[in-house]
Amino acid sequence: MEDAPVIYIDSLMETFYLKLSLHEMMGRERELIEISEKTFAEAAEPNEFQRARFRKYVKEMIRVKWIGADKYDTVMEYIKNNRKALAQCVFGKKSISGNDYRQFDQAGESITAFLDFYMENTKAIYSEYVPVILLIGHIQEYIFGNEKVIPQFYRHESKDKVTLRTELKNGKEAKRRSQYEWIEKVNRRYYVNRGINIRESKVGEVIKYLDKLLGKVYTCNSLWEVKYTAWLILLYIEAFVGNRYESDNRYNALQIFLECEQYHLKCSDKKIIYLFMTQLERLQFEDLMEDMKKNMINSKEDHSCTYRCDVKPDCLYAGKKIEAFLDINVSIINKEIEIVNGGIREKEVSQ
């Protein structure tokens, strides 16, 4: 996607407040990306004793309310009633000393603050349950990890570097970055304890790149441009992580159609196909195949031809007409249909 031109279409004050908001959101995204790339002290792999216990707790959930003065009472009651078993999971041993229990109880007192972090910064509020293994991960992080918060922007020159554990005591008043960082560290322990850390690290890479894409939106110069850029990015995401089943079916149907005509399909970048196919309606897909057949016939005289196939020229968004296109080369000698380029573009701009 090309860089947006520097054009300001709103008033000075509207642009100022938009830029102010976008700058704040850009800072948040940069913090999230930095935290996702940060190398924390690695969570130790669970021993055999812990693995056996975690298998027991993998589907264990505690119901919470998320609102009200008693919202976490069920969680605290569960921890109290299962103190010994949970402490064994945390420390990875059957025999728990008095000092172990002291550390466990101290960490347990901070669970309400952690759940506030979790509710404020994730989609947890849409669920009625909290995984027990997540709470175990928090307690482990409280006991075994105590890294300092090193801000990169606000107060980055301050010598008053507090630990994450200290920030946890501030509850909802803790700096937002500290909340993000604590959740990230607890999540990493949660993934290790469940044995899914390799899979989740790949998911984390995808999320990181999506955060970087959002950075493109936050460089826009008008609200219209924000909406338009976000919409274009969404089109690309839908093409590559959306209905891949439908796109594969259409791609396969296109290959079969060409094989019946004794042609084969060549495309060096299949992402182009996915981007194009997701924009096609059923009748447009049929028109695409007929269009190819017509150009096969036309290429017989010159042995080859190159043409552009457009779809959805009437797709209007924010005053702009959008179309998907393919540049196709037909070779009668090689009996080949080659897709050489493709994408989404503006057809025209209404004034």
Side-chain angles (χ1 to χ4, degrees):
M1 188 181 294
E2 295 181 359
D3 290 336
V6 183
I7 299 175
Y8 299 98
I9 61 176
D10 298 320
S11 68
L12 176 61
M13 291 306 296
E14 287 174 327
T15 302
F16 171 75
Y17 280 110
L18 175 68
K19 282 291 188 181
L20 196 62
S21 297
L22 293 178
H23 184 76
E24 180 182 6
M25 289 185 279
M26 175 67 84
R28 181 189 62 188
E29 292 302 326
R30 289 183 64 177
E31 296 278 14
L32 289 171
I33 292 168
E34 185 192 339
I35 290 169
S36 70
E37 294 177 336
K38 186 174 179 179
T39 303
F40 297 111
E42 290 295 324
E45 290 287 335
N47 58 34
E48 288 303 320
F49 177 82
Q50 287 173 307
R51 287 194 184 97
R53 294 303 178 101
F54 288 144
R55 283 194 290 270
K56 172 187 173 183
Y57 285 117
V58 70
K59 294 184 179 179
E60 188 84 6
M61 300 282 183
I62 307 172
R63 191 164 189 169
V64 293
K65 295 180 180 179
W66 294 122
I67 55 174
D70 60 344
K71 56 186 176 181
Y72 302 138
D73 284 1
T74 53
V75 175
M76 303 310 293
E77 187 69 20
Y78 182 94
I79 292 171
K80 179 181 177 181
N81 294 338
N82 296 272
R83 182 173 178 245
K84 181 177 180 180
L86 294 176
Q88 289 174 334
C89 286
V90 169
F91 293 100
K93 57 185 181 180
K94 190 172 183 179
S95 178
I96 304 300
S97 68
N99 185 55
D100 292 338
Y101 276 127
R102 181 186 61 78
Q103 292 183 79
F104 178 88
D105 293 340
Q106 186 179 22
E109 293 173 1
S110 66
I111 279 181
T112 55
F114 164 64
L115 291 175
D116 280 339
F117 286 6
Y118 210 68
M119 181 184 69
E120 291 288 331
N121 300 289
T122 72
K123 299 294 184 182
I125 197 169
Y126 298 108
S127 172
E128 297 179 352
Y129 300 92
V130 173
V132 171
I133 297 182
L134 185 71
L135 300 179
I136 293 172
H138 162 74
I139 294 172
Q140 287 177 320
E141 186 58 41
Y142 188 94
I143 294 172
F144 303 119
N146 194 26
E147 297 178 62
K148 289 186 177 181
V149 180
I150 304 176
Q152 299 298 312
F153 302 103
Y154 175 66
R155 296 186 67 191
H156 66 280
E157 295 180 344
S158 172
K159 295 181 180 179
D160 184 24
K161 302 291 193 302
V162 298
T163 64
L164 283 173
R165 191 185 298 171
T166 301
E167 280 285 79
L168 195 66
K169 294 177 182 178
N170 295 328
K172 290 183 178 180
E173 301 303 316
K175 295 181 178 64
R176 187 66 65 174
R177 178 197 167 89
S178 301
Q179 297 185 35
Y180 293 153
E181 199 158 324
W182 189 267
I183 291 170
E184 176 71 16
K185 287 167 68 64
V186 172
N187 278 340
R188 291 189 190 186
R189 286 191 181 270
Y190 172 74
Y191 301 145
V192 169
N193 290 341
R194 285 199 57 190
I196 57 174
N197 49 311
I198 295 176
R199 184 191 75 186
E200 290 300 324
S201 67
K202 296 184 184 299
V203 174
E205 284 295 307
V206 173
I207 293 173
K208 181 179 71 176
Y209 286 120
L210 291 177
D211 283 330
K212 289 182 177 180
L213 276 176
L214 278 175
K216 185 72 176 178
V217 177
Y218 299 146
T219 61
C220 294
N221 300 311
S222 69
L223 189 58
W224 172 88
E225 195 178 328
V226 167
K227 292 179 180 179
Y228 182 63
T229 305
W231 181 74
L232 285 179
I233 289 174
L234 184 60
L235 286 182
Y236 279 86
I237 293 173
E238 285 178 346
F240 304 139
V241 300
N243 192 354
R244 186 61 64 87
Y245 177 78
E246 180 67 22
S247 296
D248 279 333
N249 280 348
R250 287 178 171 178
Y251 183 76
N252 293 334
L254 187 59
Q255 285 183 310
I256 293 171
F257 165 75
L258 293 174
E259 286 170 3
C260 291
E261 300 293 331
Q262 298 182 327
Y263 276 76
H264 68 273
L265 180 63
K266 179 181 177 182
C267 181
S268 58
D269 188 356
K270 202 174 178 183
K271 294 193 295 293
I272 293 174
I273 288 287
Y274 283 130
L275 182 59
F276 185 79
M277 293 298 183
T278 53
Q279 303 307 310
L280 288 176
E281 305 293 345
R282 183 180 61 83
L283 291 177
Q284 289 176 319
F285 181 62
E286 293 174 0
D287 290 342
L288 168 66
M289 293 191 288
E290 288 301 315
D291 203 29
M292 283 186 171
K293 189 173 182 178
K294 180 183 70 176
N295 281 278
M296 288 178 212
I297 297 171
N298 293 340
S299 68
K300 288 182 179 179
E301 293 182 3
D302 300 325
H303 304 298
S304 68
C305 74
T306 300
Y307 71 100
R308 171 162 286 185
C309 178
D310 300 324
V311 297
K312 280 195 175 179
D314 296 324
C315 179
L316 189 67
Y317 184 82
K320 297 202 175 193
K321 288 186 176 181
I322 307 301
E323 64 181 1
F325 70 92
L326 288 180
D327 289 334
I328 300 171
N329 183 59
V330 182
S331 173
I332 189 69
I333 297 175
N334 299 325
K335 288 289 185 179
E336 181 179 88
I337 299 284
E338 181 182 10
I339 297 171
V340 294
N341 193 20
I344 296 174
R345 64 177 185 180
E346 301 170 15
K347 185 158 181 76
E348 63 182 59
V349 180
S350 61
Q351 300 298 325

